[in-house]
Every structure is written in C-alpha cells, then in structure tokens.
Amino acid sequence: MGRKRKAINPEDALKSNLPPCRVCEAPGAGFHYGANTCEACKGFFHRSLRLHSGYRCEAGNNCVIEHGRGKLCQLCRYKKCISVGMAKEAIKTGRYTSSKRTNDILEVKSLENKRKLGLLDNGLVNDNGSLPPTSVLPGHALTSGDGLSPELTTSLSSVRGFTSTSGLSHTARVISQALLNELSETSSNDVISHSYTPLNGLNQTLSSCALGSAPLRKEGRHLSIDLDSQSSLASAAGQSTSSDSDQFCRDVIASSSNSLFGQNSGITGTSRLIQNPLTVFASTKNTNSVNGNPLKGDFSAGSVVPCVTSSNGREIGAQNNNFLPSNGLPLAGTNLPADITQVDSQPDFLPVDFDQLVLDGPPLVSSLPHQTTAPSPITTLLDISTSSEFHRITPSHPSVVTSARLADNFFNGEKNHVAKDNRLFINSTSAAEVSPSFPFQKSPLDLGVNQNQFVNRTPGPLLSETAAGLVTSTSDKSNSQQVNGITNQLSSQISLLNNSFSRTSSSASPGQKLMALEEVLSPSSIVSSESMGASSPDMLMSHGVAGLVSSGAEQTSQGKKQGSLGPGSVKASSPTPASEAELLHAFCDTCGCGLDHSNIGLLYRRRDEVIARLAEAHESFMDQCFGRVAPEDVAAQQKEHYEQCRLKQEVFGKLTSLNDAEYDEIFIETGLDADDRQKRMEGLIDSMEKFIRGLVQFAKVIPGFNMLDLSEKIGLIKYSRQEICVASATAYFDYDLRVFKGVDGKWKCEMDMLYQVSIAPSMLEELFEFFHSLQNLGLNKEEMVLLKTIIIMAPDRDSEPQISALGREVHWQLVQTLVYLLEKRMKKPMAQFARIIDWLMTARTKEKLVREFFKSFKFEKYSRLGQAPLLREMLSGIYFDLSDDES
DNA sequence: ATTGGGTCAGCGTAAGGC
DNA sequence: GGCCTTACGCTGACCCAA
Ligand SMILES: [Zn+2]
Ligand SMILES: [Zn+2]
C-alpha cells in the first residue's frame, strides 16, 4: 500500500471540477505531463522520468491500474501513463483554455450524473474480468442471458479481448459472402441479371435480386422496382429483400454489431461527455453498465448539464443569456433575440444564401460586388483561362481538327504542332474571350498538365500507324466468344427487363427518376422499348455489351438510326484505321458540339497509356489528400489508431457527440467551442477544398473531360465528389477495426465518428458496409482509378446540367477501358464487371446515406464556409439547400 | 492560475540480530 | 523458524517557485 492514501471521495472530485485520473481513476489533481492525473500518478510519472528501466511486470503486462488496488505494477502503470498521453514533452503550464475548462467541467458534471445513476459504482469488474459476487447495480441487465457480456467484460478488463467480437462479425461476413457467392452463381444462370448500358445510364439499369442491393423485388419472372422498400441495411453482400437467408444474414450481422457495441450501447444508452480533443472518450469505465441497461435513454435527457463555469469555477448562470457570441456564429434553433441575429452580420459566418450560388456563377455575388465578372472558384479550377495556355476561341472550324490528330498529339506531345497547323488555338489569358457556350473551353489537348511535359516527350508513331494493332489487341477470340455468349444472355435479359420496365413504369410516379418513363423510352436509351427485344440484337451488340470488349474491332455495325440519337450513334471503328478524311466528316449532328463522338474513342485507343496516365494523375492529385501511406504500413496504422481509441474507450467509456442544442446553448452562453467542433470543421473544410482541387486535377486528365462544356464539368465534379470521397476513403478502410481515413488524412474509427459527428450509429454501420462492399470487389489500383473516373463521368446522376452526349461517350470509353483492364486480370471479366456495376448501382441507392453523412458535419453551421468558396460552391444545392432534401 | 518538482511522513519489505 | 529492529525504497499528500 502506498501511504496516506486518500479514500476516494467523489464529492471532493466534483468540487474541484477536475476530471478523474486517466491512469488510475483517482480523483484528478489537474493536468500533468499531458494528461489529467491524480497527484499520485503525477508523482509516479515524475519519478519514472528519471528512471523507469527497472520496471518489471510480474504478471502478463496487463495489470489493472486502478486506484485503491494496493501496490500497482510499476511497468503497467508506466505504460498506462504513456498510453494516456503523458510525456515530458507534453508539459503545459499556465491557464486552462476556456475550451478545456468547459470540457472538464462538462465531464465532471456528466460523471456526477452517472454516479447518481449508480453507473460508476466500482466493482462491476474484478481482476479476473468476471462478475463480482455482488451485483452492484440494481436492475443491471448484465446476465449470462445476453451472452455478450462475458466478452465485453473480458475486453474491459484490459485483456486484448476483442477477438471474440470480431470473430462473430467475421462469421457474419463469411456467411454473407457465401450467400453472395451462391446467389451470384444462381444469377448467372438465371433470367435476371444485370444490364448496363452507359449510354442510357445506370438509372435504367436493373441489377439482379441476387447480386443487387437495389431495392428490387421478384414478381414471378418479372421485375419491378419497389422504390419504397429501401432496405435499411443492405449488407455488404447485398441480398434480396425477401429471402430468408437474407434475414438470417442480416440477423447475424446485427448480432455481431451488437456484440461489438453492446445492445443498445452507443445508440440509446450511452451518455455524452465532452472532453478535450486528446481524450475524446470519457466516462464510464464499464461499457457493461451501459449495455442493455434499463437506464438507457435516461441519459439523453438532462444527464449532461450544460453548466459552464467561468475560469475560477463559478457557474455562469442564465444571466449571461445576452452574451453575444464573439465570433458571431449563427446558431440555428436557438432563441437569440431577433435584433441580435441581425446585428450579427459578419458575412463569413452568416448562413449563405446558396440560391445565389449558381453552378458556374461567381460565389458570394452579393457580398463581392467587384467580382461579379470573376469566375467562380471551380470555374477557375476547371478553366484554363487563368493560365496562359492555348484556347480554342471559335467554333467556326471544328472540322479542321481531327480526332486522330488529337489522339496522336495526346500521346505524342505535338500539341503545339496542332495548334499552329490548325490555327484553332490562341494563347489567351482572358476568360472573357472564351465563349461559355462553346464546348471547348480549352484545347482538348490540354490535360491539365504542364504542357512542357508534352513538349519534352519524344514523339511516338502516329496513332494511325498503330491503331489497328491496338484496336484488335483488346479482344482475342476466346474473349469474343465468351462475350458473345454473355451478350446474348444479357440481350434476352435486358429484353425481359425492358418489358417489365414498360409495365411498371406506367404505374410509377413521374417523379421517380429511376423509373422515369421518358428516360426509359428516350431515343438514346439502349433499353428503349423499340430497340429492345430479340428483334434487334444487333443494336444491343453494337452499343451495349459487345462493345465492351471488342473495342469495335469486329463489331462494325453502325448503330441504327434511333431518331436524333447522340452517343447511340457511336460509329464503331472499322477494322482498318479510319483515315483522317473519314474522321473529318463524321461529326455528331445532334448535340451540336461539332465533335465526332466516335473519335473520342481515339483518345482511348492506347488504353494502357490512358490507364497509366490516369493512375499517375490519381496518385499525384487524389492520393495526396488522404495522406499517402505505404501499403505495408496501412494495417499497422489502422491497428494503432484502433488500439488507441479502444484503450481510451476502455478507460473512459463510450461517448456520443454533444448534440447541437447543447453545443449551441454552451456557445450562446459562453462563446466556447465546447467540443472543438468549430476547430475540427475548419480543418475539414481545408481538406475538403484540397480534395476537390485534387479531384478536379484528376478529372482533367480524363481524356475528353476537358472537351466538355464548362458547366457540365462543374456539374460532374460537384455531383461525383461524394462518391469519389467514399471510394477514396475505402482504400484505407479496415472492416474489422472499422477504421478508415478521412479527407483530412486522419485515421478515423467508429468511436471517433460517434463522438465527432452526430451520426446515427446505424447510419455509420451502413456506411461501413458500403465501404466494405466496395472493398469486396477486390479491385486493384488501376481498376479503382478507372472506377473513379467512371464515377466522375456517371451520366445518370441528377446533375445539373444533364450530361451531354460527349460526356456520355467519355463515360463509355472509360467503361470500356475498365473492362479492358478486367480482361487482363480476370478469367471472367464480365462477371466482375457486373459486380462493379452492381456496386455503382448500390452507390446510387446509398447516395442519400452518404449525403446525410456529409451533412452531419454541418459545415454550413459550424465552420467558416465563407472562407472556402470553392467548397461552398461544391456543396451548395446538395447539402444546404433545404428544397433539395428529396431527390 | 497552474503545474513541475521538491519534500518527507508513512508504508512495505528485505536483511540482520537474537 | 519465529520475532524484532533497522535500513531502504517507493509512495503520495503537500508545498511553493515559476
Ligand atoms: Zn492516478
Ligand atoms: Zn504489470
């Protein structure tokens, strides 16, 4: 025993308003060496600084460090000190920041509440991790009945005991996967399967019940889309909503998540605490006590008294109601007097009138009167008008530039040559010279890369000389055969789907975009009623699946005229390279862009080079945002972060975020950034902006992207941002640990998210499953890059403006490139492709989920979005426009 | 205002004496 | 071996200079 050991007197602790010791839970004595510690642990660490080499653990390096436990194991105690962040370097003297003080006080208050509720009574867990002989909590539902308690209890007693829980979720995943496998096998023989035509977009694409997570329902041999049956949890595997195995699978998953979090824990039963950012997790040591506790729900109302005190500890009462937040943050839902809200007119913090933020218009038009002619941030990014580069300024001679030349120069770096030859590009520095209506905002050759790169590059052979070989190289015989088989199969399936489309679409509400009749029947749609069915398989062949693999080498059937068809009339390449003369006159006559869409394909003929270029761009523009981590280090870092958070949670208990009302109240009264959310938001805003910049740079490298109309480019970036974000985050996601990386490059785990963002655990769960579903595709790096480009160019979003025929063609080329990649690696490329398409469809159904996720950050409320005009422009109309809730 | 660091009574324990 | 005394190391409550 130490000496003069004080009995734990919680009253004293409360009086001091100091959080308990992070090491031993004794009443806190302040912030020492970087952590809230007691006097004893402070002294111990102080001595340890001088000499700790002699520390030895008699047990298994996992001794419980707890006040009142007799002689503490030195080594374990020291390790605990380190783990809670104590360090010589962390010494900090001086006044508390108001934020920290507030956090401390709130934590103490919360602890007090919990103690009153009996949750902090010690003895719930003893040394062995088994239950103590005497149950302390009346009505505590910690019985062998819930089956999960032993595991949780074990893990709580410092044993690295999460194996059991992760084991369970592993089981769930195995079952899910098996189910998926089985079902996918069925689907390949079944009538119902995927149809995917990039020309008409995903929104008319049906995925099978078997593979699909789209809300489909079998009705005899027909399909109908049940838009109302949004399954709350489409598991990673994705199942039909009606199958028993699905239910089973879901149950397993649900139970596994329960075992991980405890029944109800984190959902309804967790108390909230606020702490400084370093110690995010707080409060109950015993998650058990929360788990299934009859007191659940009680915490949400009034357990945290947002009582904030001044720095000397006195409470600040309601008399401070008139306190005007120093930084003028507008707080919705608070009852600030109207005049005060009016006074608060700092433009940076005011709610932005996003109606004014048109897509390609300048931001903050009203507040920046002198910039009304300046391009918006995204415009600046997308447009090269700000840099001195070659512009095409007149549409009058589009025919002069042949796509073949463009393609050649794309790879061979003869940009200047073309420019001079055709006199179509001028060196312009003024945006005003560029007609916004003209599709070519910049040279198609400008790929957003320093043009010196092109100049210095050794010119290769002209494309026309090697085109034939390249074209045919993508499809060998076996592939063609296989593809033809699949094609025929898909053909009939699509036909079937189409029939059901026709049938069901009449009853579908007009607003349901997925089923919009006009979409289905639109001339450009492959699965239109006219073009579909066995009667016109060639149509399908020429535009749809066949083209995926054959690269047009064999499929030369020229798309039949389908009214005024844009991309549908893609002219497949002839077996021999098209002569320039041929290409010259093969212009699209529908979209008015003056470009021969079929020649977009030329930009993609050297698929390997396109892939390499995209991969390179992805690495330099996209990866950097997330903070590059060597693949071999990823797992270690994930684990480290997880361990850190788990340890904290073990010590301090689970923690959910301070809700807005509470935060706002504190803020109104004291002006304090209670849980540092404003600070966090600022960082996130920066990262998001960086990410968008990277995304734009990346997109610009997509061959053909730069040819698009400016507003279209903006729309594509704007509406793909979200999915790209998810796809990128997935690269660093670990399903077992539930750790991923945010755009800010910081590792985040479930525990972080639940604390930092007011997101429902179920939503987070769904998001993780979504991440996982992408991982399950097992794409390699290049394939993932291609997938991202496809996401960017996805023609089926409700983006504004609608994607052009040109854009669809780019998309189509990207899809073909992806298939080309898959062919190189897979025995069954089309099966994999189908899975990818299925995921893309899932992504579409998850759009709202992801949007809610991003919304939960509440950028517009808690950050200075005004200082991030680019981001604001990107987010406007998606997150903040209230009328945009439904789509 | 707070904390790092010093102080030293008090405690456990090992060694030595009887 | 059992019991007592002494020496020593660690602990932690307390104090205070910075
Ligand atoms: Zn302590
Ligand atoms: Zn130990």
Side-chain angles (χ1 to χ4, degrees):
Chain A
M1 272 288 193
R3 141 179 176 134
K4 288 184 293 187
R5 187 162 286 120
K6 265 186 183 172
I8 296 182
N9 189 346
E11 310 301 331
D12 293 349
L14 285 173
K15 232 186 329 181
S16 71
N17 267 330
L18 288 168
C21 175
R22 304 294 184 221
V23 180
C24 73
E25 293 184 78
F31 198 75
H32 302 284
Y33 298 98
N36 282 101
T37 70
C38 63
E39 195 64 45
C41 290
K42 166 196 143 191
F44 173 77
F45 191 77
H46 172 65
R47 287 188 298 274
S48 299
L49 285 177
R50 213 156 53 85
L51 187 65
H52 62 266
S53 55
Y55 292 168
R56 292 284 135 73
C57 176
E58 305 291 335
N61 279 337
N62 57 1
C63 308
V64 177
I65 306 302
E66 204 173 298
H67 185 258
R69 188 170 277 280
K71 188 165 172 62
L72 298 170
C73 167
Q74 287 179 315
L75 181 60
C76 293
R77 189 183 194 181
Y78 180 65
K79 280 164 106 177
K80 183 102 177 256
C81 287
I82 301 295
S83 77
V84 299
M86 293 178 82
K88 179 77 175 166
E89 299 74 39
I91 291 176
K92 178 181 83 85
T93 58
R95 285 193 174 194
Y96 279 148
T97 63
S98 57
S99 163
K100 169 154 177 46
R101 174 162 292 281
T102 308
N103 291 345
D104 284 356
I105 292 164
L106 284 171
E107 178 182 353
V108 171
K109 292 286 179 189
S110 174
L111 279 171
E112 181 186 9
N113 279 296
K114 275 190 192 170
R115 196 181 51 78
K116 280 179 186 164
L117 293 167
L119 290 178
L120 277 188
D121 281 355
N122 42 24
L124 270 177
V125 179
N126 64 21
D127 282 357
N128 311 322
S130 57
L131 292 176
T134 56
S135 180
V136 191
L137 285 180
H140 177 247
L142 194 63
T143 69
S144 56
D146 43 7
L148 302 167
S149 300
E151 290 152 11
L152 282 172
T153 312
T154 306
S155 76
L156 277 168
S157 56
S158 278
V159 178
R160 308 279 182 250
F162 56 94
T163 45
S164 50
T165 55
S166 69
L168 195 44
S169 70
H170 177 70
T171 309
R173 289 199 313 284
V174 169
I175 294 173
S176 309
Q177 197 55 56
L179 189 63
L180 172 66
N181 292 341
E182 182 185 330
L183 289 171
S184 1
E185 268 182 40
T186 318
S187 85
S188 60
N189 302 322
D190 209 330
V191 182
I192 300 152
S193 183
H194 303 268
S195 77
Y196 176 73
T197 60
L199 299 180
N200 64 4
L202 282 170
N203 52 356
Q204 291 134 37
T205 310
L206 293 179
S207 76
S208 72
C209 277
L211 278 175
S213 38
L216 301 184
R217 181 185 295 153
K218 264 184 183 174
E219 287 182 2
R221 288 180 61 81
H222 300 297
L223 286 176
S224 74
I225 296 184
D226 183 356
L227 288 167
D228 293 323
S229 75
Q230 302 277 358
S231 62
S232 60
L233 176 77
S235 77
Q239 302 92 24
S240 70
T241 52
S242 54
S243 83
D244 289 347
S245 47
D246 163 49
Q247 191 53 50
F248 170 69
C249 194
R250 226 178 284 180
D251 287 346
V252 176
I253 291 172
S255 69
S256 73
S257 76
N258 272 343
S259 76
L260 199 56
F261 307 125
Q263 321 253 0
N264 303 319
S265 70
I267 299 176
T268 57
T270 343
S271 60
R272 292 165 308 241
L273 279 181
I274 315 160
Q275 289 196 334
N276 72 61
L278 287 175
T279 52
V280 180
F281 305 93
S283 185
T284 53
K285 177 177 179 65
N286 289 301
T287 317
N288 300 46
S289 57
V290 176
N291 177 17
N293 194 288
L295 296 166
K296 73 185 176 189
D298 287 352
F299 299 112
S300 51
S303 71
V304 171
V305 183
C307 168
V308 183
T309 70
S310 64
S311 52
N312 62 7
R314 278 195 302 271
E315 291 192 3
I316 296 175
Q319 71 271 15
N320 276 353
N321 270 350
N322 289 333
F323 182 85
L324 183 63
S326 58
N327 66 357
L329 183 76
L331 295 162
T334 58
N335 32 5
L336 273 177
D339 54 333
I340 290 186
T341 347
Q342 295 297 322
V343 168
D344 175 17
S345 59
Q346 300 171 35
D348 281 351
F349 301 97
L350 274 181
V352 180
D353 181 4
F354 289 106
D355 289 339
Q356 298 196 9
L357 295 171
V358 288
L359 272 175
D360 51 354
L364 284 178
V365 171
S366 55
S367 59
L368 301 170
H370 298 303
Q371 293 188 19
T372 46
T373 56
S376 76
I378 186 67
T379 306
T380 312
L381 268 182
L382 285 164
D383 196 35
I384 63 163
S385 59
T386 51
S387 58
S388 172
E389 292 183 73
F390 290 105
H391 286 260
R392 184 168 184 171
I393 56 163
T394 162
S396 53
H397 313 292
S399 61
V400 182
V401 180
T402 71
S403 294
R405 267 301 179 80
L406 295 184
D408 283 341
N409 286 282
F410 171 78
F411 293 111
N412 298 332
E414 296 183 11
K415 174 178 178 177
N416 292 332
H417 175 66
V418 171
K420 271 179 279 178
D421 273 2
N422 299 298
R423 299 186 305 278
L424 286 174
F425 303 90
I426 67 157
N427 198 344
S428 161
T429 54
S430 163
E433 295 179 47
V434 181
S435 160
S437 61
F438 188 69
F440 300 107
Q441 282 301 303
K442 58 196 294 185
S443 157
L445 301 179
D446 179 55
L447 299 165
V449 184
N450 187 339
Q451 73 184 77
N452 290 333
Q453 277 183 248
F454 293 94
V455 175
N456 295 334
R457 190 167 290 190
T458 317
L462 275 183
L463 181 64
S464 52
E465 295 165 16
T466 53
L470 282 169
V471 166
T472 51
S473 69
T474 61
S475 63
D476 58 23
K477 245 184 186 165
S478 61
N479 259 342
S480 302
Q481 269 180 338
Q482 182 189 358
V483 166
N484 282 343
I486 294 173
T487 303
N488 291 336
Q489 191 184 337
L490 288 184
S491 166
S492 59
Q493 288 164 7
I494 290 170
S495 153
L496 183 71
L497 292 184
N498 182 58
N499 287 340
S500 61
F501 257 133
S502 314
R503 198 161 332 201
T504 55
S505 60
S506 54
S507 60
S509 105
Q512 293 169 335
K513 311 243 169 175
L514 278 175
M515 283 304 296
L517 187 57
E518 54 271 31
E519 282 287 317
V520 177
L521 298 177
S522 92
S524 60
S525 164
I526 286 299
V527 286
S528 72
S529 300
E530 297 172 35
S531 65
M532 278 318 307
S535 59
S536 57
D538 56 329
M539 182 81 65
L540 182 69
M541 296 292 283
S542 63
H543 302 308
V545 183
L548 287 180
V549 267
S550 63
S551 274
E554 301 295 323
Q555 309 291 339
T556 57
S557 69
Q558 182 134 356
K560 289 182 181 170
K561 277 275 186 257
Q562 302 177 19
S564 56
L565 171 64
S569 64
V570 169
K571 191 178 77 172
S573 319
S574 28
T576 56
S579 71
E580 288 199 3
E582 272 180 279
L583 296 169
L584 271 176
H585 302 290
F587 288 109
C588 166
D589 56 355
T590 51
C591 77
C593 70
L595 185 90
D596 177 3
H597 291 175
S598 69
N599 292 334
I600 290 285
L602 293 177
L603 292 173
Y604 284 85
R605 274 200 173 166
R606 300 187 185 180
R607 299 213 186 276
D608 288 319
E609 289 188 50
V610 170
I611 291 161
R613 177 174 288 274
L614 286 172
E616 185 188 345
H618 183 272
E619 194 167 319
S620 42
F621 297 133
M622 301 284 286
D623 276 352
Q624 103 205 351
C625 301
F626 283 79
R628 206 167 300 147
V629 178
E632 61 267 25
D633 298 337
V634 169
Q637 288 189 20
Q638 285 168 334
K639 180 136 193 172
E640 187 187 341
H641 179 88
Y642 176 82
E643 281 295 325
Q644 224 165 30
C645 290
R646 191 184 63 84
L647 207 58
K648 284 176 184 167
Q649 176 156 325
E650 222 170 65
V651 177
F652 305 120
K654 217 180 278 290
L655 175 78
T656 56
S657 66
L658 190 67
N659 73 37
D660 291 355
E662 289 167 330
Y663 177 90
D664 293 353
E665 192 178 337
I666 294 168
F667 188 83
I668 291 283
E669 289 185 0
T670 68
L672 298 179
D673 183 15
D675 55 3
D676 291 317
R677 69 175 60 177
Q678 291 187 47
K679 208 158 89 190
R680 283 204 311 267
M681 287 306 119
E682 293 305 316
L684 214 49
I685 289 261
D686 285 351
S687 323
M688 291 284 280
E689 275 231 20
K690 255 184 234 157
F691 173 74
I692 290 172
R693 285 175 202 283
L695 176 57
V696 168
Q697 294 302 311
F698 174 61
K700 282 163 115 178
V701 181
I702 297 173
F705 180 83
N706 289 315
M707 297 177 175
L708 300 174
D709 187 85
L710 179 59
S711 65
E712 184 177 358
K713 286 191 261 191
I714 294 173
L716 288 173
I717 296 290
K718 179 168 177 171
Y719 287 93
S720 64
R721 195 203 94 264
Q722 192 173 274
E723 282 170 37
I724 296 289
C725 230
V726 168
S728 299
T730 302
Y732 294 111
F733 175 62
D734 184 290
Y735 186 70
D736 286 321
L737 301 179
R738 332 213 116 210
V739 174
F740 67 102
K741 226 171 180 216
V743 275
D744 50 3
K746 289 177 182 150
W747 290 104
K748 297 176 198 299
C749 65
E750 192 165 41
M751 297 168 267
D752 296 322
M753 295 313 294
L754 290 178
Y755 170 69
Q756 293 178 3
V757 187
S758 54
I759 181 173
S762 61
M763 232 170 89
L764 197 59
E765 179 75 14
E766 192 178 354
L767 194 71
F768 284 154
E769 294 296 342
F770 184 38
F771 283 173
H772 194 45
S773 69
L774 178 55
Q775 284 187 324
N776 277 342
L777 292 180
L779 302 183
N780 67 21
K781 201 173 148 197
E782 276 92 18
E783 290 157 2
M784 186 60 87
V785 169
L786 256 295
L787 178 61
K788 284 184 186 176
T789 65
I790 289 169
I791 290 173
I792 292 173
M793 296 303 300
D796 62 318
R797 265 184 283 264
D798 300 325
S799 60
E800 195 64 40
Q802 283 290 306
I803 191 165
S804 68
L806 187 58
R808 284 165 184 264
E809 181 57 23
V810 171
H811 177 257
W812 175 235
Q813 291 297 330
L814 289 168
V815 167
Q816 286 183 292
T817 308
L818 174 60
V819 173
Y820 166 78
L821 260 179
L822 295 175
E823 281 175 338
K824 288 207 297 191
R825 194 163 71 93
M826 311 261 179
K827 322 112 259 164
K828 292 184 174 178
M830 291 312 292
Q832 174 69 356
F833 180 65
R835 295 179 70 210
I836 293 174
I837 296 310
D838 186 62
W839 185 85
L840 283 168
M841 293 202 47
T842 310
R844 206 45 41 88
T845 67
K846 302 286 180 190
E847 186 185 354
K848 198 163 182 179
L849 166 75
V850 180
R851 197 193 319 166
E852 286 304 314
F853 172 72
F854 280 108
K855 264 187 177 174
S856 67
F857 286 91
K858 300 199 178 58
F859 292 116
E860 81 282 14
K861 183 172 172 185
Y862 293 114
S863 69
R864 311 177 181 204
L865 208 53
Q867 291 175 357
L870 172 64
L871 184 62
R872 190 175 50 188
E873 184 181 3
M874 285 290 102
L875 300 187
S876 70
I878 301 180
Y879 300 110
F880 307 141
D881 190 348
L882 292 178
S883 66
D884 189 53
D885 270 0
E886 292 301 319
S887 69

